[in-house]
Every structure is written in C-alpha cells, then in structure tokens.
Amino acid sequence: MFHVSEHNHHTPANEGMISVDGAIGTVILAQAGIGTVGNVSLLCHYICSLFKRHGLRPIEQIINHLALANTLTLICGAVSPTLAAFEMKYFLSDIGCKLVFYFHRVAWGTSLSVTCLLGGFQALSINPPNSKWAELKFKSQKYITTPCILSWMFHLLVNVIVPMRMTGQKNGRNVSVKSNLGHCSCLSINTITESICSVIFSSVDVVCLGFMIWVSGSMILFLHRHKQQVRYIHSTRQHSPASPGTRATKSIMLLVSAFVVFYFLSSAFEMYAYLFDNPQLWLVNTSVVLASSFPTLSPFLLLKSNTHVSSLCSSC
C-alpha cells in the first residue's frame, strides 16, 4: 500500500511521459465522443420506432438497454482519465469520484450482461420452430424486458462497494490507497469484504463470457450449415441474397466476439499494470482505452447490419 503523493513539477525528463498521457487522454475523449454519438443514434431511432409502431421488437428492446449502458460506460469512463491526462486538478470532488466510478461500473456490468443476453436471444431465434428450444424461444420474446431490468438492478446492488473504495485527490485525509488513478484514488478496504466482492464480480464475468463463447460457437455452426444449404440451392437455381436473419446473426456474432476479445485484452493489460506497486498512469489509461473500444464500436456494427437504420442515419 502507498499514500497519495503530491504531483511533482514538470521537468524535461518527464515531458515525454506527459505527452503520452495527453495522447491517451485524447484517444479516450475521442472514443467517448464517437461512441456516444453512435449509441445515441441507436436510441433515437428505436424511440422513434416506438412511437410509430407503438412497440419494439424484442431484439430492439435489448439493443436499447445495450446502447444506454454503453453511453454511460463511455461518458463515466472518460471523465477521470481525461482530466488526469490534461492535468485538470481537483475538478472532481470526493462525491464526484464516487458517483462517476459507481455508474461506470454499473453501466459496464450491465453492458456485459445485456450483450450476453443479446447473443443468447439471437441464438434462440435462429432455431427452427420444432426444436427442443421452441418453448424457451417463445417465452423469451414475450418477457425479454424483465432480464434487462433485472440486470440493471443486480449491478446497481452489487456495485455499492465501489463508492466505498473511491476517493478524490482533493480529499486531505491521510488514507492508504491501493491504486492512484490520476484524478481519483482507489482505497484499500477490509480484506474479507474485498475478497467476497472480487469473487462475485469474477463469477459473473466468467459465467457471462463462457456463455458468450458458447453462443458464438453455436452461431458459427448455424452459419456453416446455412452456407452449405445455400451452396446446394445455388447448384439447382439462381443466386438469392442473404436473408435479414442471417445478416443479423453474423452481426450479433461479431458483436459478441468483439466484446470477448476486448474484455480479455483489457483484463490482461490491467493485470499487467497492477503488477507494479504504483502503476504509471498511461498503463492504467491504456486499459481504459481497450475497455472503451467495445462500447465505441458496437453501435456502428449494429447500424451496419440494419439497412433501415443505416439509411435513416445517412439521410440525417
């Protein structure tokens, strides 16, 4: 453990590191801006559809929750790293640090759960009506909003420990911190409490990631079989374009796979950063860049797969 240290005056030796922090801060800010525009575009489209059709399809309801979670993840995740990178000292109060990190963690966890749900729903939707999953497929379309809301409630509850661990740099108390995050600090708390929370968070992550990997494999198998069927049809008649269901399956499979890849990259980089007693800020912020890559890219993957949304955005 170490104590919060005062910022040193700039010297020529650390000018290069300052420029690196500034560059990473710019990347994080750009991610937040671009990703927020994409996610808000999705939200606006589906809100308009809600008023026009007086209802949303099940998959659109899931995407709405995902877009909202991604927007909060990007905005809250960009605040502290950007302020620290551009040396805007003491902009956040102690309460501000607690709220920003709390809602970032809640939104990130919800994004994980909803992406998992999205992949599972799509895997169910491509099953034939006479399959063993037919009953679950029908029920999932009817009650899809419930698990989305439960996901928000679950992460709001389990992440109550986050405000207890965070403090602002302006806080003058002599407290031991586990890691210095630039503008805010993560405090060391009771070891038993921290261990229990770590087990809960890790268990949720492992279950969701394992399910997403299994779902991706199922969709790859479906697409392979579909390709073989199409190849057989092509040998007997003229070419027919890919169905909307197949395009949606490819897009969601790519979305789920992207989440898994960026999760492992971010986690590996974060683990490497925290091997050090006092990790450099650029190491911590690089992990933030990797973690923010999925919520930045995901709306554009979904926009690309939906020709109606794409044409609407182009006309705007």
Side-chain angles (χ1 to χ4, degrees):
M1 294 186 293
F2 54 91
H3 297 279
V4 180
S5 58
E6 296 294 329
H7 291 282
N8 296 326
H9 294 290
H10 298 166
T11 61
N14 64 4
E15 286 296 330
M17 191 56 64
I18 294 169
S19 64
V20 171
D21 290 341
I24 296 176
T26 303
V27 172
I28 293 172
L29 191 60
Q31 282 182 317
I34 295 170
T36 299
V37 170
N39 284 292
V40 170
S41 298
L42 272 179
L43 282 170
C44 289
H45 165 71
Y46 289 130
I47 289 172
C48 291
S49 298
L50 177 63
F51 286 108
K52 289 180 180 179
R53 301 198 307 257
H54 304 289
L56 293 175
R57 293 190 293 270
I59 198 166
E60 292 174 339
Q61 296 176 33
I62 302 174
I63 292 174
N64 256 358
H65 286 275
L66 179 61
L68 178 59
N70 284 343
T71 302
L72 284 174
T73 300
L74 289 166
I75 293 174
C76 294
V79 174
S80 182
T82 303
L83 293 176
F86 293 108
E87 299 182 351
M88 299 172 66
K89 295 182 180 181
Y90 307 145
F91 187 84
L92 280 177
S93 64
D94 188 53
I95 295 176
C97 277
K98 294 178 185 296
L99 290 177
V100 165
F101 277 86
Y102 173 66
F103 284 111
H104 176 261
R105 180 66 202 185
V106 168
W108 189 92
T110 304
S111 178
L112 167 67
S113 302
V114 173
T115 303
C116 181
L117 183 66
L118 181 62
F121 180 82
Q122 185 62 26
L124 279 176
S125 68
I126 60 180
N127 276 279
N130 58 351
S131 70
K132 60 182 179 180
W133 304 103
E135 185 177 354
L136 182 59
K137 176 181 177 180
F138 172 76
K139 288 183 178 180
S140 67
Q141 293 176 348
K142 192 174 182 181
Y143 302 108
I144 198 63
T145 305
T146 303
C148 292
I149 295 174
L150 287 175
S151 177
W152 282 102
M153 293 174 64
F154 173 78
H155 289 287
L156 282 167
L157 181 63
V158 299
N159 285 290
V160 292
I161 190 175
V162 175
M164 298 164 55
R165 299 179 62 187
M166 301 309 303
T167 184
Q169 296 285 32
K170 195 174 181 179
N171 193 328
R173 294 176 301 171
N174 185 21
V175 291
S176 297
V177 301
K178 187 175 182 179
S179 55
N180 190 335
L181 303 176
H183 207 77
C184 303
S185 297
C186 182
L187 301 175
S188 294
I189 59 172
N190 182 275
T191 306
I192 298 175
T193 304
E194 190 166 353
S195 299
I196 292 172
C197 292
S198 296
V199 169
I200 294 173
F201 293 143
S202 300
S203 299
V204 172
D205 290 359
V206 168
V207 170
C208 288
L209 289 169
F211 182 75
M212 282 193 277
I213 292 171
W214 177 75
V215 162
S216 297
S218 300
M219 287 192 282
I220 289 172
L221 184 61
F222 164 79
L223 291 172
H224 176 68
R225 289 175 178 172
H226 178 76
K227 186 177 180 180
Q228 288 181 324
Q229 292 174 351
V230 170
R231 189 175 297 170
Y232 173 76
I233 294 172
H234 286 178
S235 64
T236 57
R237 59 183 182 182
Q238 292 183 345
H239 171 72
S240 58
S243 66
T246 302
R247 288 198 303 270
T249 301
K250 288 181 179 179
S251 175
I252 292 173
M253 184 189 69
L254 183 60
L255 190 76
V256 170
S257 301
F259 188 99
V260 173
V261 170
F262 283 121
Y263 176 90
F264 280 116
L265 286 174
S266 175
S267 298
F269 216 95
E270 189 173 349
M271 289 174 64
Y272 172 73
Y274 287 103
L275 288 176
F276 304 98
D277 290 334
N278 187 3
Q280 295 290 329
L281 185 60
W282 72 268
L283 281 173
V284 177
N285 285 347
T286 301
S287 177
V288 175
V289 170
L290 292 170
S292 300
S293 297
F294 171 78
T296 302
L297 295 175
S298 63
F300 301 102
L301 291 175
L302 291 168
L303 288 169
K304 184 179 179 182
S305 69
N306 191 325
T307 53
H308 177 64
V309 182
S310 299
S311 61
L312 178 67
C313 291
S314 298
S315 63
C316 290

